[in-house]
Each structure stands twice: as structure tokens, then as C-alpha cells.
Amino acid sequence: EHEPYSSKLQVPEALTFDDVLLRPKESRVEPDDADLSSHVSRSVELSVPILSAAMDTVTESGMAIAMARHGGLGVIHRNMNVDEMVEEIGRVKRADELVIPYEDVVTADPEMTVREIDDQMARQGVGGAPVVNTRGEVLGIISSTDIRPHLEVNEDDLVTEAMTDEVITVHEDVDPRDAFDLMYEHKIERVPVVDDENLLVGLVTMQGILQRREYKEAVRDEDGQLCCGVAVSPFERDRAEAADEADADILFIDTAHAHNRNVIEGAREISESVEADVVVGNVGTQEAAEELVEFADGIKVGIGPGSICTTRVVSGAGMPQITAVAQVADVASEHGVPVIADGGIRYSGDAIKAIAAGADAVMLGSYFAGTDEAPGRVVTMNGKKYKQYRGMGSVGAMKSGDADRYLKEEPEEEDDYVPEGVEAATPYKGTLKSELHQLAGGMQSGMGYVGAATVPKFKERSEFVRVSSAGQAESHAHDVVITDEAPNYSPNE
Ligand code: XMP
């Protein structure tokens, strides 16, 4: 007697975004009031739980700065050497600094003429400069308003004749925010920061303060600097330590398959030697999560869902993303470890479904690759604008970086790469700000339909219904010809 089915074929079903919808529920929550704040790792909380992918066509410092200013987090890719990585992290950390450090301050030398300093300030795009002697002592401050237009000042006069010599300074121990009151009170634009000997150590400007006030949702560390993440290999301790020293807030152990003995060992060692939070990924099963919760500060989920990813067809392995997230979250939530759903998100609806499945935050590549803030330039093909977007497992990306994300040796011959991703182009989309606005706004709508005002409440209250292929067709715009493109929907995406 044989069983009608081989036991090998008695397999569980796994679901992805299009297989499910959120069940609408009674609600007292207006979408605009839904609060998206959520943890991305044990110690970092985001205002909007959205990350830009660690890919060389998505996240470098420009993207990371914009993501953090708007409440999310950018994860800088690792197709660059360690010095370049440190420089990139530094750019994010310095972007919104209240005190411009000494080495970045434009200063005037007392021997300069008014014309010389005026030219220099114009060239460097600043409106004023502390006047310091060779010791670095602050003698005064000169600004464009001291120079023109009324002027008894002659262009050949020395700076010292035109400068304000009763200069208001703050001591380096003073909270830079107090400098604002001082500037307001004295109606001045900039205040030099000095040490005990009146030597210049930095500058606080009104412009810098106002700029920071513009970004109310910004995600900052305890020193007020923007937060950023960075991808590191599990096998490169020096890179991880350099990233930690450069004050990266989260290290993302970046592999295509983290449920691998060598990866887990490397990741664990790194997590023990750095101060930053360590997020480990990617995984997609409960068993993998069981191992990572022992030491990880966050777990990233996604085996093959990415838009440019061919892992599933090349290797035959993978896990549809809604099931993968739910499996990992079942384990991680018991240990208070945040879960990030990485890859395959095309619409805001997918992002909020990932949260309903148990994720605390979502990571996207293709959604952001077409924005101004992503690296690379805009190209025009057949009259339409595009930007390059490629998988980190594509031949091009592996050649300019590491194949170890896919746990492969660097081949000797170029033709010998076995890629797990493609090189592509994605429509040009304009600013990150408007893309993020659509994404977060759609997620808030989802929370409104479920009646949950916060992310934890939403995770608890949301339920799925299963959708047939007829239901999927019904979900999309159908039986019409779209005449005006919507900012958050393109049927061919
Ligand atoms: P989306 O769908 O947002 O996915 O474009 C971005 C995520 O895809 C992963 N990734 C890859 N996966 N081969 C893969 O199998 C690749 O070449 C590749 N490149 C990126 C990665 O997790 C990213 O965040």
C-alpha cells in the first residue's frame, strides 16, 4: 500500500504580499493621527519605520542624510573601502551639526584686506567669519553686512578695521541650544564657540539652527547628530570596528543567508566587540530566528523577494515574504528583538502588510532608487527618465565589491561569477521627501482601516484575509485606461 502523496510533497504553503489583505475593522483612528514610530533595533527608534537598502545604487551619505532628516534610516552600502565608509558615515554625522567644528569654519586672518575676505566668504558660501590670529584666538567677527553696502569701509582696509571687535562668544561647555537665545537677544547670525583661553573651537549659526528646526521628525543620536546604519560583512572585523568608531548607530551584518554557521559566528563576534547595535540578516525561518535572538539587536528578513533579485530562480531557494516575516516575528517578538522586512515592497500597502505580519520596520531598494538622493545620474531612454538600479548580487555590483554577501569566493575569471541579481533601470522619481510622504501616508491609511493608532497596537489588532487571483485582479485598477499617473501607483511596477 502506498500513500497517495509522497511525504516529500506534503508541504506547507507560504504567502506573500499579494496573497493577503488587511481585514477592515471598526476604527476611531483617522489616518493622519496614526503614529508610525517604531524600533528598528534595540536602541534606535524611528519616526517612520522605513529604511533605504544597503545597495550601491540606493544608499550613500546623501540618501542617509535625507532618510534620517525625514524620520527614517539609511543603511550605507559596503561596496567601498573602509576609509571611504568612514568618510561617508562622517558626512551623515556632520550634516546637521549645531556646532560647526573648527576645521570646517571659514575664518579670517587679521592681515587680510576687506576685499580678500569678502571674496573668500563669497567663494565658500558663508555670510560671516570669525577673525582669528595665528594662535586661533578670536579677535572679532566680520560679516558681509559690515562690509557693504553703506560703507565708510574701503576695500583695501584691513579686516581688523571693519570687523566687530566686541564679539559675543559661547564657551564650549555651554549647550549649543543656549546660543540660540543669545543670537536672538543680540540679533546676530553667528556665535563663535571658544575654550578657556578664548581659542576658537567651532561656530554656531542661526542658519544651522533654523535648518534643524525644519526637520521635526529627524532621527538623531544622543549628541543630536543624524543617525545612520552601515552594512558590514560578517568576515571583516576591522570594517565593523571602524564603523563603530566612526559612530555609526547600527551595523547591519549584510548577507544573503545568515543562517549559516560561519556567518553566525562572525556576527556574534562583531556584536561582542562593538558598541553600536548589530542587526543580522537575512533570514526567513523560525529556526534561524531562534539562533539570532541570542545576540542580535535586530533581525532582517528576506530570502529572495527583492525586485532585482534572482536568488529564488538561480538557487531554487527562498521564502515568500509575508510568511518569512511572520515566522521570524513569532520568535523575535518573544525576545523583544525588532524585525525588519527587507525586499519586495512595491506599494505602501505592501509595507503596512509587512508590519501586520510582525515586522517593526521595512527596508526598500527599488522604491527609492529613482530619487534624486540615490547615487548615480538620471539617463533618458525613449524620452523617459531613469536611474540605474542593480542587485548587489549582480555581476556589475559583485565586480566592484564583495561576493561574500552571497558567501562566494571571488572568481578568477570575470565570466565565472554566478550572479543572484540583475542590473536594471528604474523610473526617475524626483525627491525622496515626496516618495517617503506617499509611503508613510499609505501606511497610515492602513492603520486607519484597522483602527490602530500606534505600530504596536496595529501589529496586535491587524488580521489578514486570503486573496484569490480573482481578488488580486480586483485590487488593482481594472477595466479602465489610466489617464493621469497617480503619485503612488503604477500598474507596471
Ligand atoms: P527591493 O524589492 O526593495 O529589494 O528592490 C531590495 C532588497 O533586495 C536585496 N538584494 C538582493 N537580493 N540578489 C538578491 O537575491 C541581489 O542581487 C540583491 N541585491 C539586493 C537586499 O536585501 C535589498 O535590501
Side-chain angles (χ1 to χ4, degrees):
E1 276 300 296
H2 291 293
E3 290 285 330
Y5 294 108
S6 152
S7 60
K8 196 91 195 185
L9 294 181
Q10 287 173 21
V11 290
E13 188 173 49
L15 304 176
T16 191
F17 300 106
D18 281 349
D19 294 319
V20 293
L21 280 170
L22 297 169
R23 189 168 188 278
K25 291 190 158 183
E26 187 202 8
S27 179
R28 291 164 202 275
V29 178
E30 309 313 330
D32 286 342
D33 299 333
D35 173 4
L36 277 170
S37 59
S38 179
H39 271 86
V40 63
S41 65
R42 280 193 205 270
S43 52
V44 179
E45 188 177 23
L46 305 181
S47 312
V48 292
I50 298 173
L51 293 83
S52 63
M55 300 173 70
D56 61 5
T57 48
V58 181
T59 312
E60 290 181 352
S61 51
M63 175 65 78
I65 290 167
M67 286 296 297
R69 280 180 177 165
H70 295 297
L73 187 82
V75 184
I76 294 169
H77 69 86
R78 63 179 169 103
N79 264 10
M80 60 179 89
N81 66 37
V82 173
D83 291 342
E84 287 164 340
M85 174 201 70
V86 167
E87 184 51 38
E88 286 290 285
I89 297 169
R91 288 204 178 107
V92 183
K93 289 285 157 188
R94 288 194 301 269
D96 279 358
E97 221 161 32
L98 265 187
V99 181
I100 304 166
Y102 179 75
E103 57 277 15
D104 296 339
V105 178
V106 176
T107 56
D109 171 338
E111 307 286 298
M112 280 173 141
T113 64
V114 165
R115 183 186 299 115
E116 283 166 343
I117 188 60
D118 199 21
D119 287 349
Q120 186 182 338
M121 291 195 297
R123 255 196 330 272
Q124 302 199 244
V126 300
V131 182
V132 295
N133 62 18
T134 44
R135 281 187 62 221
E137 205 172 342
V138 180
L139 308 177
I141 192 158
I142 182 124
S143 73
S144 354
T145 47
D146 294 328
I147 300 175
R148 49 180 113 82
H150 37 99
L151 295 189
E152 294 103 56
V153 179
N154 189 322
E155 290 212 310
D156 296 318
D157 285 351
L158 287 180
V159 161
T160 39
E161 289 170 55
M163 72 184 187
T164 308
D165 44 15
E166 295 202 354
V167 53
I168 294 162
T169 59
V170 287
H171 189 265
E172 57 184 335
D173 291 342
V174 171
D175 184 335
R177 275 163 281 209
D178 293 343
F180 182 76
D181 299 334
L182 213 64
M183 283 189 263
Y184 196 75
E185 198 180 308
H186 295 273
K187 309 227 168 345
I188 51 178
E189 290 282 324
R190 49 190 69 72
V191 176
V193 182
V194 294
D195 65 11
D196 290 336
E197 294 176 52
N198 198 32
L199 301 183
L200 185 71
V201 294
L203 186 73
V204 184
T205 69
M206 182 65 96
Q207 195 192 7
I209 290 175
L210 294 179
Q211 202 175 6
R212 277 172 68 111
R213 294 201 164 180
E214 199 185 315
Y215 303 114
K216 293 202 174 58
E217 307 236 281
V219 178
R220 301 182 189 283
D221 63 21
E222 55 198 19
D223 297 326
Q225 297 180 321
L226 294 173
C227 284
C228 84
V230 61
V232 301
S233 152
F235 311 121
E236 263 187 298
R237 279 281 282 280
D238 345 337
R239 180 181 287 264
E241 277 159 21
D244 191 40
E245 234 150 75
D247 284 338
D249 299 273
I250 309 180
L251 308 190
F252 286 76
I253 307 291
D254 173 49
T255 72
H257 183 35
H259 199 190
N260 164 294
R261 301 280 22 124
N262 290 328
V263 170
I264 291 183
E265 222 166 277
R268 187 194 293 272
E269 278 171 22
I270 288 173
S271 77
E272 282 161 6
S273 70
V274 299
E275 236 172 78
D277 273 4
V278 173
V279 169
V280 187
N282 280 7
V283 294
T285 61
Q286 277 159 331
E287 313 87 86
E290 298 278 5
E291 297 220 29
L292 299 187
V293 289
E294 284 180 25
F295 66 93
D297 301 305
I299 301 180
K300 194 150 67 68
V301 179
I303 309 288
S307 59
I308 35 41
C309 159
T310 55
T311 289
R312 293 179 189 170
V313 283
V314 169
S315 71
M319 182 65 94
Q321 187 69 340
I322 286 287
T323 295
V325 169
Q327 288 226 348
V328 172
D330 279 350
V331 177
S333 61
E334 305 232 310
H335 294 79
V337 179
V339 171
I340 301 156
D342 172 20
I345 292 171
R346 304 148 301 168
Y347 303 107
S348 47
D350 294 341
I352 196 69
K353 286 178 195 176
I355 306 265
D360 297 271
V362 292
M363 176 179 266
L364 300 90
S366 75
Y367 202 95
F368 298 137
T371 62
D372 294 322
E373 286 80 354
R377 60 190 184 88
V378 178
V379 294
T380 307
M381 294 189 289
N382 297 330
K384 269 201 81 182
K385 290 177 169 178
Y386 295 88
K387 285 189 87 162
Q388 189 199 15
Y389 180 47
R390 65 182 185 185
M392 293 305 280
S394 64
V395 172
M398 284 206 280
K399 271 200 255 174
S400 55
D402 267 316
D404 80 357
R405 184 169 193 275
Y406 297 86
L407 309 171
K408 301 262 197 187
E409 300 280 335
E410 218 65 60
E412 274 166 29
E413 300 288 327
E414 277 193 7
D415 290 348
D416 290 347
Y417 278 104
V418 182
E420 291 185 28
V422 295
E423 298 180 62
T426 185
Y428 169 67
K429 285 181 166 172
T431 64
L432 175 80
K433 185 179 173 195
S434 63
E435 287 304 297
L436 263 183
H437 173 74
Q438 291 299 333
L439 191 56
M443 292 171 79
Q444 286 178 305
S445 297
M447 293 170 76
Y449 280 106
V450 169
T454 65
V455 170
K457 188 89 200 149
F458 175 79
K459 284 172 47 170
E460 198 184 296
R461 189 170 158 85
S462 52
E463 286 171 12
F464 286 122
V465 290
R466 181 71 203 274
V467 183
S468 66
S469 54
Q472 283 165 26
E474 186 185 65
S475 293
H476 281 270
H478 55 84
D479 302 310
V480 292
V481 177
I482 292 178
T483 51
D484 293 283
E485 230 174 87
N488 56 357
Y489 178 72
S490 143
N492 313 321
E493 255 174 26

